[in-house]
Amino acid sequence: EKDVMWFIQEFSEVLTDWQRDIMSMMREEMLYFWPQMETKIMNEGWASYWHQRIIRELDLSSEDTIEFAKLNSSVVQPSKQSLNPYYLGLKIFEDIEHRWDHPSKEERERFGRKPGMGRAKMFEVREFDSDTSFIRNYMTKQLTEDLDLYVFEKKGPDWKITDKSWENIRDQLVFSRVNGGSPYLVVQDADYLRTGELVLKHQYEGIELDLKYMERTLPYLYKLWGRTVHLETRVEDKPIWFTYDGKKHHRKFL
């Protein structure tokens, strides 16, 4: 079962009716915002694109133009530590507009692409795509190089660049947006060894869990479920089992 909140709400033996009602309301709110979660990069890029276009059309004073430039740059500037969704979404939309406005000879002959269709293509993408298809379909080698993107990992005490292949960078970005950018967890067993213990499994797709955050979360799951909670995931490409029994954390490699 993928819907962990619904499963606990329905089958926990320790929750009272009013607690189930609160969980139900929280779940309904989450479902309401789910489409926004799955289009976060597109939403931020779309807003940034039109913000810039509208401001450029206004007859602003020099002071107002400078003030806008300062505020806008603080929003869309790339980050050294993480990927700025405003920046990435904006650059992909701008690239789409440019490539469909000025198709190459090969694109015109192979795809029948006509010049001046950039804006129409942007609206088409906005209507039909989510973040995963947006990145998979429109993140190009040239754009990856222009944005100077790379994959980095922690090796010992240091962070190091581990990959600059544009296909791997694109795929890593896609993986990071699967399931709205949240870890994909499923209920694997709700009566482990016939003890009523809960087993969750992380559907690992190349991105490890934040272990500190995960270990802070397991006690809350224990409180909601009322019995020991286990979580299976992968760390450094090795399967590992985390457990919280109400008193302390345990971990073991499988």
Side-chain angles (χ1 to χ4, degrees):
E1 173 58 52
K2 178 183 176 182
D3 194 335
V4 177
M5 179 173 282
W6 172 84
F7 190 89
I8 292 175
Q9 168 194 318
E10 291 294 315
F11 298 107
S12 170
E13 296 179 355
V14 299
L15 293 178
T16 62
D17 288 342
W18 70 266
Q19 290 172 321
R20 296 182 200 277
D21 287 342
I22 291 175
M23 289 193 68
S24 176
M25 288 185 284
M26 292 176 63
R27 178 174 174 272
E28 288 176 4
E29 182 178 357
M30 181 273 294
L31 292 174
Y32 174 81
F33 285 108
W34 189 254
Q36 285 81 4
M37 294 169 64
E38 291 209 312
T39 54
K40 178 178 178 60
I41 291 175
M42 294 184 68
N43 292 342
E44 311 299 19
W46 187 255
S48 299
Y49 174 89
W50 287 107
H51 190 195
Q52 292 184 10
R53 294 289 300 185
I54 291 170
I55 291 295
R56 288 170 186 167
E57 297 295 326
L58 298 178
D59 185 20
L60 299 180
S61 66
S62 298
E63 291 79 6
D64 289 339
T65 301
I66 293 172
E67 183 65 20
F68 166 73
K70 290 179 179 178
L71 293 173
N72 187 62
S73 64
S74 68
V75 173
V76 300
Q77 67 180 345
S79 169
K80 294 181 180 180
Q81 286 79 32
S82 61
L83 193 65
N84 183 345
Y86 292 87
Y87 178 71
L88 180 62
L90 171 63
K91 292 303 178 182
I92 294 178
F93 273 121
E94 288 181 340
D95 188 60
I96 290 172
E97 183 177 37
H98 175 76
R99 289 193 292 124
W100 264 260
D101 272 344
H102 309 284
S104 65
K105 180 179 179 181
E106 179 184 358
E107 290 170 334
R108 292 196 300 270
E109 293 176 351
R110 185 176 179 183
F111 304 114
R113 194 174 296 171
K114 299 178 180 180
M117 298 299 293
R119 187 66 57 80
K121 182 63 179 178
M122 288 174 63
F123 274 92
E124 177 189 312
V125 170
R126 191 70 180 93
E127 181 177 1
F128 294 109
D129 283 271
S130 64
D131 280 348
T132 52
S133 58
F134 181 59
I135 295 170
R136 182 184 295 112
N137 295 334
Y138 302 106
M139 174 64 75
T140 64
K141 179 180 180 181
Q142 185 61 53
L143 186 57
T144 304
E145 293 174 352
D146 290 344
L147 300 182
D148 193 25
L149 298 179
Y150 49 81
V151 177
F152 62 95
E153 298 177 19
K154 194 169 187 179
K155 299 289 186 179
D158 302 316
W159 290 93
K160 297 183 177 180
I161 296 175
T162 57
D163 201 339
K164 295 205 72 171
S165 165
W166 81 271
E167 294 99 334
N168 293 339
I169 293 169
R170 177 199 60 197
D171 293 345
Q172 190 81 353
L173 288 172
V174 170
F175 291 150
S176 72
R177 296 306 305 153
V178 170
N179 201 42
S182 300
Y184 186 179
L185 304 177
V186 297
V187 176
Q188 183 166 274
D189 193 345
D191 191 22
Y192 180 61
L193 298 178
R194 297 188 177 182
T195 61
E197 297 178 1
L198 181 67
V199 179
L200 304 177
K201 184 172 183 178
H202 173 217
Q203 303 293 87
Y204 179 77
E205 295 179 302
I207 299 178
E208 294 182 2
L209 295 177
D210 181 332
L211 298 186
K212 291 183 179 180
Y213 188 89
M214 180 271 297
E215 290 195 328
R216 291 198 302 269
T217 303
L218 286 182
Y220 293 111
L221 286 170
Y222 173 88
K223 190 171 184 178
L224 293 171
W225 187 249
R227 296 177 185 271
T228 296
V229 177
H230 309 276
L231 174 63
E232 181 182 341
T233 184
R234 299 185 75 86
V235 174
E236 296 179 352
D237 209 29
K238 298 176 183 177
I240 188 171
W241 183 275
F242 291 90
T243 297
Y244 183 74
D245 60 10
K247 296 181 179 179
K248 60 187 298 187
H249 291 278
H250 308 272
R251 64 172 72 181
K252 65 177 179 180
F253 284 99
L254 303 177

